[in-house]
Amino acid sequence: MIGQTDLFNYPLILAERVARAVLHRIDPEQARDLALIALRARLTPRRAAPTSDRLRTTVAGINLLNPVGLAAGFDKNAIAIAPLLKSGFGFIEVGTVTPHAQSGNPKPRLFRLAEDRAAINRFGFSNDGAAVIARRLAARPATGVVGLNIGPNRDSRDRVADFTDLLKTCGAKVNFVTVNVSSPNTEKLRDLQGAESLARLLDSVLTARDGLGDKRPGIFLKVSPDLTDADIRNIAAVARNARIDAVIATNTTLRRDGLSSRHATEAGGLSGAPLRTTATRILAKFYGELKGDVPLIGVGGIATAQDALDRIRAGAQAIQIYTALIYDGITGAVRIAEKLDSLLAKEGFQNVSEAVGNRP
Ligand SMILES: Cc1cc2nc3c(=O)[nH]c(=O)nc-3n(C[C@H](O)[C@H](O)[C@H](O)COP(=O)(O)O)c2cc1C
């Protein structure tokens, strides 16, 4: 059935389909920039976040209308917060932001692997820097859940100080801050996942966060899919001891198994469908270690409501998507959330929280 909002949006939905066909013929980074321009110009369908008693949930004390979020890296510079909050997501994450602006790696640095429903990127944290992004965050709409993903500058001499500076500049303006120690495109960043360095980093980050008083955001930690079981045990122990608010699993992978696209050998992080199994496995292992003590957000290769439900049943309280939007358009969020509602009902769940870790 077509509702009133859909009727109003129908020309925009059609236009989005045409635009997507065009966008897939041009350079993927330009296509992403055009998609952001279209969002800001209100040329994309606007939809309230789908919600219901089943979809409404809470992660780390943050209330969400639905558990389908936008993953970091799409709106790196926080230029489209308001329109993204009107695109059906239960929450969005912007960034990665670094203290100082940086241009990132030379272009091309984003590749579509259409045959594999995947992407490879090696942006290397290109962004406008904390001061500019803090101003944009200050102008964000008062309602809607917004997170900020933070990372160090490429040439940083003190990476821990970069994270704490970012918290001080931007932390009070968002609902959560994601500590990114898992991007494969900044040299040695992933070394910060080692138990000792991670414990030190989180300790400093949490102290900086607590300095923000009433406006302190949740602290989330985003991890890599390329972790051993021992790594997962160590990271889970550090996360629990530090009492961070959530773990986001996972970022992109360096693995390249079973790809058929011609861009398969490009350097960078792989995302999308080929990441699904690994990201689910890593999330499930974190769930096994943490047993609900620290909430989990699942990301990596989620493209359908069934994928979302599978990830929730593997232990995620909420999920995020990015690469699927490249192939299905920004309206993918609404489709996944609405279908998730009916899937949850079909499986007999009164609320999404009942499905968390409840494997069939
Ligand atoms: C083009 C692109 C840029 C990304 N940039 C970031 C980033 O800046 N920070 C980050 O934490 N993750 C970044 N990611 C990773 C995503 O947030 C997500 O963790 C990953 O792509 C897996 O989800 P997906 O398979 O739904 O895309 C990026 C992903 C893509 C495809």
PDB file of all heavy atoms in Angstrom, residues 20 23 183 195 245 253 268 316 351:
ATOM      1  N   ARG A  20      20.584   6.945  -9.394  1.00  0.00           N
ATOM      2  CA  ARG A  20      21.499   5.867  -8.999  1.00  0.00           C
ATOM      3  C   ARG A  20      22.129   5.206 -10.224  1.00  0.00           C
ATOM      4  O   ARG A  20      23.317   4.903 -10.245  1.00  0.00           O
ATOM      5  CB  ARG A  20      20.753   4.851  -8.153  1.00  0.00           C
ATOM      6  CG  ARG A  20      21.680   4.122  -7.227  1.00  0.00           C
ATOM      7  CD  ARG A  20      20.962   3.549  -6.064  1.00  0.00           C
ATOM      8  NE  ARG A  20      19.927   2.684  -6.559  1.00  0.00           N
ATOM      9  CZ  ARG A  20      18.699   2.604  -6.108  1.00  0.00           C
ATOM     10  NH1 ARG A  20      18.328   3.279  -5.185  1.00  0.00           N
ATOM     11  NH2 ARG A  20      17.812   1.824  -6.617  1.00  0.00           N
ATOM     12  N   LEU A  23      24.702   7.581 -11.340  1.00  0.00           N
ATOM     13  CA  LEU A  23      25.833   7.651 -10.404  1.00  0.00           C
ATOM     14  C   LEU A  23      26.774   6.449 -10.545  1.00  0.00           C
ATOM     15  O   LEU A  23      27.966   6.553 -10.328  1.00  0.00           O
ATOM     16  CB  LEU A  23      25.323   7.728  -8.960  1.00  0.00           C
ATOM     17  CG  LEU A  23      24.664   9.049  -8.545  1.00  0.00           C
ATOM     18  CD1 LEU A  23      24.170   8.990  -7.108  1.00  0.00           C
ATOM     19  CD2 LEU A  23      25.604  10.231  -8.712  1.00  0.00           C
ATOM     20  N   SER A 183      40.688   1.481  11.310  1.00  0.00           N
ATOM     21  CA  SER A 183      40.784   1.766   9.876  1.00  0.00           C
ATOM     22  C   SER A 183      42.098   1.193   9.359  1.00  0.00           C
ATOM     23  O   SER A 183      43.156   1.406   9.955  1.00  0.00           O
ATOM     24  CB  SER A 183      40.755   3.269   9.618  1.00  0.00           C
ATOM     25  OG  SER A 183      41.155   3.499   8.280  1.00  0.00           O
ATOM     26  N   ALA A 195      46.312  -4.847  23.730  1.00  0.00           N
ATOM     27  CA  ALA A 195      45.693  -4.671  25.052  1.00  0.00           C
ATOM     28  C   ALA A 195      46.250  -3.468  25.830  1.00  0.00           C
ATOM     29  O   ALA A 195      45.476  -2.655  26.337  1.00  0.00           O
ATOM     30  CB  ALA A 195      45.836  -5.947  25.862  1.00  0.00           C
ATOM     31  N   ASP A 245      30.987   2.290  26.519  1.00  0.00           N
ATOM     32  CA  ASP A 245      29.539   2.159  26.387  1.00  0.00           C
ATOM     33  C   ASP A 245      29.094   1.179  25.308  1.00  0.00           C
ATOM     34  O   ASP A 245      27.984   0.663  25.370  1.00  0.00           O
ATOM     35  CB  ASP A 245      28.944   3.548  26.136  1.00  0.00           C
ATOM     36  CG  ASP A 245      29.240   4.467  27.308  1.00  0.00           C
ATOM     37  OD1 ASP A 245      28.651   4.244  28.371  1.00  0.00           O
ATOM     38  OD2 ASP A 245      30.095   5.360  27.176  1.00  0.00           O
ATOM     39  N   THR A 253      37.857  -4.855   5.932  1.00  0.00           N
ATOM     40  CA  THR A 253      38.876  -5.907   6.060  1.00  0.00           C
ATOM     41  C   THR A 253      39.994  -5.779   5.020  1.00  0.00           C
ATOM     42  O   THR A 253      39.773  -5.229   3.934  1.00  0.00           O
ATOM     43  CB  THR A 253      38.234  -7.313   5.921  1.00  0.00           C
ATOM     44  OG1 THR A 253      39.250  -8.312   6.037  1.00  0.00           O
ATOM     45  CG2 THR A 253      37.526  -7.503   4.588  1.00  0.00           C
ATOM     46  N   GLY A 268      43.524  -1.236   0.269  1.00  0.00           N
ATOM     47  CA  GLY A 268      42.535  -0.532   1.083  1.00  0.00           C
ATOM     48  C   GLY A 268      41.660  -1.508   1.852  1.00  0.00           C
ATOM     49  O   GLY A 268      41.968  -2.690   1.966  1.00  0.00           O
ATOM     50  N   ALA A 316      24.058  -8.317  18.248  1.00  0.00           N
ATOM     51  CA  ALA A 316      24.050  -6.856  18.070  1.00  0.00           C
ATOM     52  C   ALA A 316      22.760  -6.244  18.615  1.00  0.00           C
ATOM     53  O   ALA A 316      21.677  -6.768  18.374  1.00  0.00           O
ATOM     54  CB  ALA A 316      24.204  -6.502  16.593  1.00  0.00           C
ATOM     55  N   ASN A 351      10.008  -7.193  20.929  1.00  0.00           N
ATOM     56  CA  ASN A 351      10.927  -6.060  20.795  1.00  0.00           C
ATOM     57  C   ASN A 351      12.277  -6.577  20.308  1.00  0.00           C
ATOM     58  O   ASN A 351      12.661  -7.708  20.599  1.00  0.00           O
ATOM     59  CB  ASN A 351      11.095  -5.352  22.153  1.00  0.00           C
ATOM     60  CG  ASN A 351      11.994  -4.126  22.033  1.00  0.00           C
ATOM     61  OD1 ASN A 351      13.198  -4.195  22.247  1.00  0.00           O
ATOM     62  ND2 ASN A 351      11.410  -3.003  21.639  1.00  0.00           N
TER      63      ASN A 351
END
